Amino acid sequence: MDNKAYLVQMNGNGVHGKNPVNSKTPNGTGVTGSGLHRLSGNGSLYPTKVKSRRLRWDVKPSEMANNTLNPIRAIVDGMKLTPNPDKPMIALSIGDPTVFGNLPTDDTVIQAMKDAIDSQKYNGYAPSIGYLKSRQALANFYSSPEAPLTAEDVILTSGCSQAIDLAISVLCNPGDNILVPCPGFSLYKTLAVSMGIEVKLYNLLPEKSWEADLKHLESLIDERTSCLIVTNPSNPCGSVFTKEHIQKILKVASRHCVPILADEIYGNMVFPGCSCPSLASLSSDVPILSCGGLAKRWLVPGWRMGWILIHDRNNVFGPALHQGLVKLSQRILGACSIIQGALESILNNTPQSFYNNTIGFLKSNSEICFNELSTVPGLNPIMPSGAMYLMVGIEMDHFPDFKGDVDFTEHLVTEQSVFCLPASAFEYPNFFRIVVTVPEELMVEACGRIREFCQRHYRPSSCNSNDLDQ
């Protein structure tokens, strides 16, 4: 019998073939350079030498699993949330605009999905980076003279979260560090730490409508800084950077040759009177990976359609990084094919009135919340300019009954059945975040309950108390 084995190989196109191979390799391991196992002379896949076996079960989670922690879940899961049974719960904590049913997506968006399903064209596997037609539609929608895009510059993903995951993964190695806004979206840290990447937090300044502290930001950069994350508009702050401030951030990145991951999932969700140019449209030399999706602007977070827009006009990233994104996208089969089929129609046919109505509602609710809480002793709300959030500072010296923002918000649930997210979940203690997507009547009711809670627990500062004692 022929003392050769046959190895079944699969090439990148999914074509099978048989290639004769010798039964032994130079290192005697029976493994080819590509990591494929050769058959031994007797047809066995196993080496002749018997290895010692384990004597007991010892299955443990991986280091990556152990290092994965969502700060929001870590804090919220540890809170004792027992609502007041006499008051219906009002949750102002979840960044999902669909929870209360008062913000449905537009009929044209639903019809686009129906048409994609009825066509029977999108029931199979799509390319890992997305259908060419869908990527071209996104390139056309977001391209501008200042930041031109082609279909080759677009990667479709399973929601903006996967886009951020791919962007961090392609830019960073274990031991590198990334710069993350504080307060900022918790997912950045969750992903980075699980990959062995250090997170450095740069401060946002509440007294300047949450602008970045540029001196602090620049002081954190070193030779292992592989990515600067900029979130604009902001979660959790609801802030929108001005054109001038964005240009200052870009100058810092340019000076130190640090690429930017622009989280622009709330792009264009800005209140009337504000503008929100994309970072790429203002950059002449800094390469940018812009992450976005349908979730917020089109009010369909459960559809899990996101994207990366690659802005690299000076060829800093080059083909290697683009190919790296393609390879990473092949780990899973990307975004839902049916939503990809509907994407062109969603982008082109959603009426401007839908966007305007959504923004108008968010602005009105933000103003109600800001105006109501501005007159509550011990609270300092900061008026947002976009997105879906409002941050409220707590003067903890005036609330000695509580240890911090987590304790404060926990008792707010217990007494008033109003749940706001403590900002410790965003690495920013003594604040809490309010989601402004609830129906207007619930926003008014929630603010009234917060006022009642604060009036009950508010105390003069310790300094004033001492003066009175003397």
Side-chain angles (χ1 to χ4, degrees):
M1 177 175 280
D2 185 6
N3 191 29
K4 291 184 178 180
Y6 285 84
L7 178 68
V8 179
Q9 294 180 317
M10 180 180 287
N11 63 27
N13 297 319
V15 179
H16 295 73
K18 290 184 178 180
N19 299 319
V21 296
N22 293 327
S23 60
K24 293 183 179 180
T25 57
N27 61 12
T29 63
V31 181
T32 69
S34 62
L36 298 174
H37 291 267
R38 296 181 186 273
L39 297 176
S40 63
N42 61 8
S44 172
L45 282 171
Y46 307 100
T48 303
K49 183 179 179 181
V50 178
K51 295 182 178 179
S52 61
R53 65 181 181 86
R54 291 176 178 164
L55 300 179
R56 62 181 63 85
W57 289 103
D58 186 21
V59 182
K60 299 177 181 178
S62 67
E63 289 186 14
M64 182 176 184
N66 285 333
N67 290 334
T68 299
L69 177 67
N70 185 324
I72 293 179
R73 294 264 50 94
I75 289 175
V76 173
D77 291 349
M79 296 175 70
K80 298 177 182 178
L81 301 178
T82 307
N84 184 335
D86 297 327
K87 297 185 177 185
M89 184 72 171
I90 303 176
L92 305 178
S93 58
I94 305 173
D96 182 345
T98 72
V99 170
F100 291 90
N102 60 310
L103 289 174
T105 192
D106 193 73
D107 289 343
T108 58
V109 178
I110 300 298
Q111 189 59 51
M113 280 290 284
K114 291 178 179 178
D115 292 343
I117 293 171
D118 290 342
S119 74
Q120 299 272 4
K121 294 179 180 178
Y122 307 106
N123 295 335
Y125 291 124
S128 64
I129 60 173
Y131 290 121
L132 175 61
K133 180 181 178 182
S134 306
R135 292 186 286 115
Q136 186 62 60
L138 268 167
N140 295 341
F141 190 78
Y142 283 105
S143 189
S144 67
E146 301 80 15
L149 291 166
T150 69
E152 293 302 309
D153 302 317
V154 179
I155 306 286
L156 298 186
T157 63
S158 180
C160 188
S161 294
Q162 194 205 6
I164 294 168
D165 186 9
L166 295 183
I168 293 176
S169 298
V170 80
L171 291 172
C172 308
N173 288 307
D176 286 349
N177 63 76
I178 62 174
L179 307 183
V180 172
C182 181
F185 185 36
S186 61
L187 181 67
Y188 312 136
K189 182 175 181 179
T190 298
L191 294 171
V193 172
S194 72
M195 301 179 202
I197 299 163
E198 181 186 1
V199 172
K200 294 185 176 182
L201 302 175
Y202 66 89
N203 293 330
L204 304 183
L205 303 172
E207 68 274 15
K208 293 187 176 181
S209 298
W210 300 110
E211 284 189 350
D213 183 337
L214 297 175
K215 289 184 178 179
H216 182 234
L217 165 61
E218 191 160 13
S219 72
L220 298 175
I221 298 173
D222 61 25
E223 67 279 359
R224 294 301 301 268
T225 302
S226 55
C227 174
L228 164 60
I229 295 181
V230 179
T231 314
N232 190 45
S234 168
N235 175 10
C237 302
S239 55
V240 178
F241 292 153
T242 64
K243 175 182 177 180
E244 293 73 22
H245 190 62
I246 294 173
Q247 289 172 328
K248 291 177 182 178
I249 293 173
L250 288 167
K251 285 182 179 178
V252 172
S254 176
R255 189 155 52 242
H256 295 276
C257 299
V258 177
I260 288 179
L261 189 169
D263 183 349
E264 297 179 322
I265 185 64
Y266 297 97
N268 299 110
M269 291 184 71
V270 298
F271 299 163
C274 297
S275 63
C276 185
S278 69
L279 269 74
S281 69
L282 300 178
S283 172
S284 59
D285 63 329
V286 178
I288 295 170
L289 298 181
S290 174
C291 300
L294 292 182
K296 309 300 183 176
R297 192 180 182 197
W298 285 269
L299 306 176
V300 286
W303 288 14
R304 311 312 301 142
M305 168 57 70
W307 51 75
I308 299 175
L309 308 179
I310 306 169
H311 295 278
D312 187 28
R313 71 190 68 176
N314 292 331
N315 203 33
V316 174
F317 287 148
L321 186 131
H322 183 277
Q323 188 59 33
L325 281 171
V326 172
K327 290 179 179 179
L328 288 169
S329 72
Q330 291 169 347
R331 296 176 65 181
I332 66 171
L333 283 174
C336 173
S337 59
I338 291 174
I339 302 171
Q340 290 188 50
L343 188 57
E344 183 177 19
S345 179
I346 291 172
L347 296 173
N348 296 335
N349 297 330
T350 303
Q352 185 62 41
S353 59
F354 166 74
Y355 304 128
N356 293 343
N357 290 339
T358 303
I359 290 299
F361 174 83
L362 296 174
K363 180 175 186 289
S364 176
N365 252 16
S366 297
E367 289 174 339
I368 290 170
C369 184
F370 175 78
N371 291 333
E372 288 292 323
L373 298 186
S374 290
T375 59
V376 175
L379 297 186
N380 295 306
I382 300 173
M383 181 64 191
S385 299
M388 310 187 311
Y389 312 103
L390 183 148
M391 287 279 276
V392 182
I394 314 168
E395 297 176 6
M396 293 306 306
D397 288 346
H398 291 294
F399 298 99
D401 294 343
F402 311 119
K403 300 175 183 177
D405 58 311
V406 175
D407 196 25
F408 181 98
T409 53
E410 183 178 275
H411 281 82
L412 180 58
V413 172
T414 302
E415 295 183 23
Q416 297 291 342
S417 296
V418 175
F419 184 25
C420 304
L421 196 63
S424 288
F426 307 108
E427 313 268 359
Y428 211 79
N430 300 336
F431 275 76
F432 61 86
R433 186 193 73 174
I434 289 177
V435 179
V436 296
T437 57
V438 300
E440 180 178 317
E441 60 272 17
L442 289 183
M443 179 58 70
V444 173
E445 172 69 18
C447 289
R449 294 189 198 176
I450 294 172
R451 175 186 298 276
E452 182 180 332
F453 175 81
C454 290
Q455 288 174 338
R456 178 179 179 183
H457 294 282
Y458 181 86
R459 301 288 184 273
S461 65
S462 57
C463 178
N464 291 338
S465 297
N466 290 336
D467 290 342
L468 291 174
D469 292 339
Q470 294 174 357

